Amino acid sequence: MENKKLRVAITHGDTNGVGYEVIFKTFADPMMLELCTPIIYGSPKVATYHRNALGIQGNFTIISNAAEAHSGKLNLLTTFDEEVKVEFGQPSKEAGTAAYKALERAMEDYKQGLFDVLVTAPINKSNIQSADFTFCGHTEYIEDRIGEGEKALMILLNGNLRVALVTTHLAIKDIAGAITKEKIIEKATIFSRSLRRDFRISTPRIAILSLNPHCGDGGLLGTEEEEVIIPAIKELSESGIYTFRPFAADGFFGRGTYESFDGVLAMYHDQGLAPFKALDTGSGVNYTAGLPLVRTSPEHGTAYEIAGKGEADEESFRHAIFFALDVFRNRVNYDEPFADPLPKLYHEKKEEGERPRLPFPKKNTEAQECKPEQEA
């Protein structure tokens, strides 16, 4: 695994945004092609238009199947042949359709095992909507297409700051009703498992944020803390998952309390993302945990306001690739000790001479964890 060059699928995102710009800028560094074999899912015509309009390096090799990807080359897999009008900075249904076709082809190729990890360039969540795409974003779409019954968890990360969300793309008026004890337990469990397997943190500590100002102020400003969040934390702790408080969200980040934890579970999108982006240095990554497929994306959106101007910073996109490769290898290393070789060596029930073999004890495939002490 140390020497294997992994195949990174890259969907081109909204064709009127900065997707191709950050892709080309990332792979202008020859070192990137030594780390992985990239496969852009998109359009040679659109890619050429972006490259020429921006005046940046962007040589690529056109392929028709991911299995044809060349090592040491920036491969571009054609996902549609139709002409697409590129209008930098302008949302359009045409751009949304182009983004969807790239995503859908990538999902089909993943099912066939044609790449290892996926990095998605930003989409416009509005113009990609259609009869085929009725989701709030990448996370929900990918969970539906290849989740195999597993639930996704959105994690924003930069260095040791890791913020996960209980609810994602949801209107503010609907958030309180969506926060249940079961949902918090589900997301915190996925988070803890990801921190152990994907980040290789042996005993992760997770801070849980409150929903209401001042943790509800004893019920004066809301009862979700007493009735939902605290019971969820108690049940999680009893099951061996280290979760703490809830913490009032307003002072948690400003005082640097997050530095004492391996992860932070926020109740809703802006509660987690607003402070994360305020603290971020421009290299943050959006990671979809909990699914069989390793998927990352840059923390920024389509950036219509600077599309076509050559001003997009590729740092976040580059880190999205780095992290996807790290997670893939972390999972392999984490899972390896749990692979039981005994069935291969002892698949017969009897030895020569018809003497019965002694049964081998069943191997416990779950990592053992200590239950945390009750917090004072």
Side-chain angles (χ1 to χ4, degrees), residues 278-297:
L279 293 166
D280 182 40
T281 57
S283 56
V285 175
N286 182 346
Y287 171 49
T288 302
L291 301 181
L293 169 64
V294 175
R295 175 258 168 170
T296 64
S297 71

Side-chain angles (χ1 to χ4, degrees), residues 3-6 27 29-38 71-73 325 329:
N3 298 320
K4 180 185 176 184
K5 190 179 287 188
L6 300 180
F27 288 98
D29 181 353
M31 182 196 72
M32 295 300 298
L33 295 177
E34 297 176 10
L35 293 177
C36 64
T37 299
S71 178
K73 301 284 187 181
L325 298 175
R329 292 190 168 96

Side-chain angles (χ1 to χ4, degrees), residues 196-242:
R196 285 187 283 114
R197 185 178 181 226
D198 302 336
F199 295 81
R200 299 310 304 271
I201 298 172
S202 59
T203 311
R205 293 162 49 89
I206 300 172
I208 308 288
L209 299 186
S210 66
L211 174 65
N212 298 298
H214 309 296
C215 292
D217 235 350
L220 180 66
L221 303 177
T223 59
E224 285 81 5
E225 284 71 26
E226 296 293 332
E227 296 177 357
V228 177
I229 301 177
I230 292 174
I233 291 173
K234 182 179 179 181
E235 190 167 323
L236 285 162
S237 296
E238 290 173 349
S239 70
I241 295 175
Y242 285 72

Side-chain angles (χ1 to χ4, degrees), residues 11-58:
T11 53
H12 66 177
D14 189 289
T15 51
N16 292 335
V18 297
Y20 276 110
E21 181 177 348
V22 295
I23 293 170
F24 285 142
K25 284 182 175 179
T26 295
F27 288 98
D29 181 353
M31 182 196 72
M32 295 300 298
L33 295 177
E34 297 176 10
L35 293 177
C36 64
T37 299
I39 307 168
I40 303 172
Y41 283 69
S43 162
K45 296 175 184 177
V46 175
T48 301
Y49 184 91
H50 277 250
R51 181 186 63 187
N52 294 342
L54 293 163
I56 58 178
Q57 262 190 321

Side-chain angles (χ1 to χ4, degrees), residues 19-294:
Y20 276 110
E21 181 177 348
V22 295
I23 293 170
F24 285 142
K25 284 182 175 179
T26 295
F27 288 98
D29 181 353
M31 182 196 72
M32 295 300 298
L33 295 177
E34 297 176 10
L35 293 177
C36 64
T37 299
I39 307 168
I40 303 172
Y41 283 69
S43 162
K45 296 175 184 177
V46 175
T48 301
Y49 184 91
H50 277 250
R51 181 186 63 187
N52 294 342
L54 293 163
I56 58 178
Q57 262 190 321
N59 295 326
F60 53 84
T61 299
I62 301 173
I63 59 176
S64 59
N65 190 294
E68 303 170 1
H70 304 276
S71 178
K73 301 284 187 181
L74 180 59
N75 302 276
L76 197 155
L77 191 156
T78 305
T79 57
F80 58 90
D81 293 318
E82 300 89 343
E83 294 285 343
V84 175
K85 184 179 181 181
V86 177
E87 298 177 283
F88 287 121
Q90 299 300 314
S92 73
K93 290 300 294 183
E94 199 174 18
T97 299
Y100 168 73
K101 288 182 177 179
L103 271 173
E104 184 61 21
R105 177 64 182 271
M107 292 299 97
E108 292 301 321
D109 282 3
Y110 171 73
K111 292 177 180 179
Q112 297 179 46
L114 297 178
F115 61 82
D116 299 299
V117 299
L118 172 66
V119 180
T120 58
I123 60 172
N124 180 309
K125 295 178 179 61
S126 176
N127 68 28
I128 197 174
Q129 298 297 316
S130 68
D132 298 312
F133 192 103
T134 57
F135 304 92
C136 296
H138 277 115
T139 303
E140 296 82 1
Y141 166 78
I142 295 171
E143 177 186 278
D144 179 78
R145 292 290 282 110
I146 53 86
E148 300 176 6
E150 299 293 329
K151 294 297 182 181
L153 175 71
M154 182 187 292
I155 302 176
L156 277 293
L157 60 107
N158 189 348
N160 291 326
L161 175 58
R162 308 172 191 93
V163 179
L165 307 177
V166 175
T167 61
T168 53
H169 304 112
L170 200 62
I172 291 291
K173 65 181 178 62
D174 299 326
I175 290 173
I179 301 295
T180 64
K181 185 181 80 168
E182 292 73 23
K183 180 65 71 175
I184 294 170
I185 291 172
E186 174 189 277
K187 297 298 184 180
T189 301
I190 298 171
F191 199 8
S192 179
R193 187 184 305 127
S194 177
L195 289 169
R196 285 187 283 114
R197 185 178 181 226
D198 302 336
F199 295 81
R200 299 310 304 271
I201 298 172
S202 59
T203 311
R205 293 162 49 89
I206 300 172
I208 308 288
L209 299 186
S210 66
L211 174 65
N212 298 298
H214 309 296
C215 292
D217 235 350
L220 180 66
L221 303 177
T223 59
E224 285 81 5
E225 284 71 26
E226 296 293 332
E227 296 177 357
V228 177
I229 301 177
I230 292 174
I233 291 173
K234 182 179 179 181
E235 190 167 323
L236 285 162
S237 296
E238 290 173 349
S239 70
I241 295 175
Y242 285 72
T243 52
F244 300 89
R245 297 292 284 266
F247 293 89
D250 56 353
F252 181 81
F253 291 95
R255 288 195 296 267
T257 309
Y258 65 88
E259 295 175 352
S260 300
F261 297 92
D262 301 299
V264 181
L265 185 63
M267 292 297 112
Y268 58 95
H269 188 279
D270 283 13
Q271 185 188 55
L273 268 64
F276 175 87
K277 293 190 175 184
L279 293 166
D280 182 40
T281 57
S283 56
V285 175
N286 182 346
Y287 171 49
T288 302
L291 301 181
L293 169 64
V294 175

